[in-house]
Structure formats: structure tokens, C-alpha cells
Amino acid sequence: MNGKQATTWVEGTSADLVADGLALGVKASPRMVTSWVEDGMLANPEPRKTSAHGSDPRVFPPEQRELFTRLLEARERSPLGRIPQRSLIRVVLYLWLIDDTIVLTPQARRAWRTHARATGQTTAVRRRENVRAIVEQLAHASATPKQRRAAQLVLEEGERTGRIDMDRLTVVLTELHSPWSVQPGMPRIERALPGPFGPVSVQHHIAMWKAKEQTIRRLRHEEIDEAELDRVRAIYRPMWADYQARRPAMATVGAGEFAAYFAEPETMEGRAIEAVNAFVETLAGALGLIEAASHAAETARLKLAR
């Protein structure tokens, strides 16, 4: 919208997009447009031949020209100064997940690559914060500082390198989660955390962490082709729609103790984060990575129990 007047968007060249940005007070440039195309923020411009002796500059369809402007507007109106690109990428992916006309799959594949690269580029401080939150979530009140520290070191190494040693991770997280001495001749006592769909074991957390890490790595290296992305999106859409329809009722199950699990995000960015994360889990399942990781986690658990 332009004030109270509806804007009729038409196709435009890179120069037109730059002019749109400058009209918003943004220091846009041809290089910026090219970078956005490379990162999947924009689709590739399309050829437009209007004469027998050559081609005019390539053009972006009206939907992409509007997308460019809307993303710039969202970035500039952030109370934090500027919304980081990783947040805007999630909005692009969210549009691909819910609509077939604005963001097409070739663009989305590049956007998934950019999203995956950003996911793996956290700072050491952010990694420590993420790991600390995981440790606090899984730790039993009786877990010793040594057990907490051991779990933190293994998790930090996995976050930093992207390589997960299932046996070692199983040992430290099981001891963190169920920090009781094993009595000779007795099976290890292992607890499970309550969840909205039933008890959740530490092996489930390990398997999901590994499966999602493998999925992000494949997206980062563009190892998942467009046909597979489209196939999984077709699986994801009805599942996600069903969840959205059921989440208000699910929030009231029991005494409402799990209501926070089903609270709907209030912002566009929040909805985008939720939808993108859900698709990554759906993709991990469709690729067989969750099943494989669950088997590996159970094998590591049995090895520890012996």
C-alpha cells in the first residue's frame, strides 16, 4: 500500500528496484540487487526480448518487485535499527511455504542455502548461550557441576564442528538427565521429561538434534533438489494446516500446563520462524534422517546400559 492508495506493481529492471529502494531512503545499488538474487532474497530476473537485434535488460516480475520493497520496508522499520538478513530470509521461506506465486522453488532453494549457512554461523557467545539453555532444560536438579560441565563441552563441540559423537553425547546427556549411580546388577534408572504428546526421553532430544543438523548441512550444500523440496512441501502443508486448526484445543489439554507449546506467534517474524523450523523437521523425517538418528540413539543407549 502507498498511503491509502493501492499500488499497482509492474515488472522492473534492476535499476527500477534500485530506484524503489532509494525512494524509501535506502542506499540500494545494483550490487545489492545482485546479492539478494544470489542469496535467494529475490528470484533471477527474466529475459525480455523486444527487438530483433538484441534484448532489453532482464526484468523482475511484479511480485518480486513488490517483495523487494516490502522486505526493505520491514528491515528499515525495525525498532532495533535493521532486521538482520537471516530474519528476512525466513520471511521469504515462509512465503514459499504458504504461497505458490510469489517465491518459486528455484529461489527458495537458494534461500534455504542462505538460511542454513546463517544457522551454522553463530558466534562462540551465542553457541554457549544455546548450549546453556539445552543443559538447563535437560538437567535434573541433582546433576553435579561436573556433569553439567561435561554435557556443555560436548554440546559446544557439536555446535561448533557440526559433528555429533552419538556414544559420547549419550553418556554425558544421560548422566545429566538421570544423574544417579548405577547399582551392580540393576538397570540404569532413566527419567523422561513430560511433554504435550507424552514422556520425552533424552534419546529423543539427541535424535532430533542430529537429524536436524544433518538436514541443515544438506540444505547448506544444496544437496536437496527442487523436486524433493516441492515433494516435502506438499507433505508439510496439510500437516501444518491440521496443526494450526488443532492448536487452540491442544493448548487446553490437561490443566493447560503445555499451553506455551501451542501459543501462536504474534508477529510475522515469529510465524516465519515457527513455520521454517517445522518444515526442517518435516524434511528431516521425509529424508529418513529422524528414523536413522533414532536408531543410532537407541543403539548408543543400549551400549551404555550394558
Side-chain angles (χ1 to χ4, degrees):
M1 298 296 293
N2 183 7
K4 295 184 179 180
Q5 300 295 319
T7 301
T8 300
W9 294 93
V10 297
E11 63 185 18
T13 64
S14 176
D16 292 326
L17 267 63
V18 169
D20 293 341
L22 294 175
L24 293 174
V26 177
K27 294 180 180 179
S29 67
R31 176 56 196 160
M32 175 185 179
V33 174
T34 300
S35 177
W36 277 35
V37 170
E38 292 172 350
D39 291 340
M41 300 277 282
L42 291 171
N44 284 314
E46 302 169 355
R48 181 184 60 177
K49 187 170 184 178
T50 58
S51 72
H53 303 290
S55 299
D56 288 341
R58 289 174 174 261
V59 293
F60 293 89
E63 297 83 4
Q64 288 285 312
R65 187 174 181 182
E66 180 177 6
L67 176 63
F68 180 72
T69 296
R70 298 307 183 207
L71 290 175
L72 286 180
E73 289 175 338
R75 187 182 69 172
E76 295 304 309
R77 68 171 172 257
S78 168
L80 301 177
R82 284 189 176 181
I83 296 176
Q85 182 166 310
R86 64 179 178 272
S87 297
L88 296 180
I89 279 290
R90 284 193 290 258
V91 172
V92 170
L93 292 170
Y94 179 57
L95 291 174
W96 174 74
L97 287 169
I98 66 173
D99 191 280
D100 292 328
T101 62
I102 301 173
V103 177
L104 302 184
T105 305
Q107 176 188 351
R109 190 183 185 204
R110 297 195 304 275
W112 278 116
R113 178 195 63 197
T114 301
H115 169 71
R117 287 177 176 175
T119 301
Q121 290 180 343
T122 55
T123 64
V125 172
R126 177 62 63 84
R127 284 197 297 271
R128 283 194 294 271
E129 291 175 350
N130 292 342
V131 166
R132 191 176 299 114
I134 294 171
V135 169
E136 289 304 313
Q137 176 190 4
L138 297 180
H140 186 272
S142 301
T144 66
K146 182 178 179 180
Q147 289 168 326
R148 291 171 182 267
R149 180 61 177 163
Q152 184 159 338
L153 289 175
V154 173
L155 286 168
E156 284 182 1
E157 181 181 358
E159 289 281 315
R160 178 176 56 82
T161 65
R163 294 188 295 271
I164 300 174
D165 184 330
M166 292 293 283
D167 291 343
R168 187 179 176 206
L169 187 63
T170 297
V171 169
V172 297
L173 290 189
T174 298
E175 291 181 353
L176 177 76
H177 201 58
S178 305
W180 304 292
S181 300
V182 180
Q183 301 301 317
M186 298 292 291
R188 173 183 286 275
I189 299 174
E190 294 187 32
R191 71 187 181 106
L193 292 176
F197 304 109
V200 182
S201 68
V202 71
Q203 284 75 35
H204 172 79
H205 288 284
I206 294 172
M208 291 303 298
W209 188 39
K210 182 176 179 62
K212 286 190 284 188
E213 185 278 327
Q214 290 177 318
T215 304
I216 288 295
R217 178 170 52 79
R218 292 191 184 190
L219 290 168
R220 184 182 304 132
H221 296 293
E222 294 187 274
E223 295 174 0
I224 303 173
D225 61 28
E226 294 167 21
E228 186 72 356
L229 289 173
D230 282 336
R231 183 185 74 83
V232 177
R233 182 176 60 170
I235 297 171
Y236 163 88
R237 281 180 172 174
M239 292 174 56
W240 189 243
D242 178 66
Y243 169 69
Q244 294 291 358
R246 293 190 299 115
R247 70 192 299 174
M250 294 166 76
T252 65
V253 171
E257 59 182 316
F258 300 112
Y261 283 79
F262 306 108
E264 296 192 42
E266 297 180 356
T267 65
M268 172 69 163
E269 183 181 2
R271 291 192 293 273
I273 291 172
E274 183 183 64
V276 166
N277 289 342
F279 180 80
V280 170
E281 291 189 8
T282 303
L283 184 58
L287 295 174
L289 298 176
I290 293 178
E291 182 179 359
S294 297
H295 177 73
E298 179 62 12
T299 299
R301 185 191 73 80
L302 293 175
K303 187 184 297 184
L304 178 63
R306 288 198 293 267

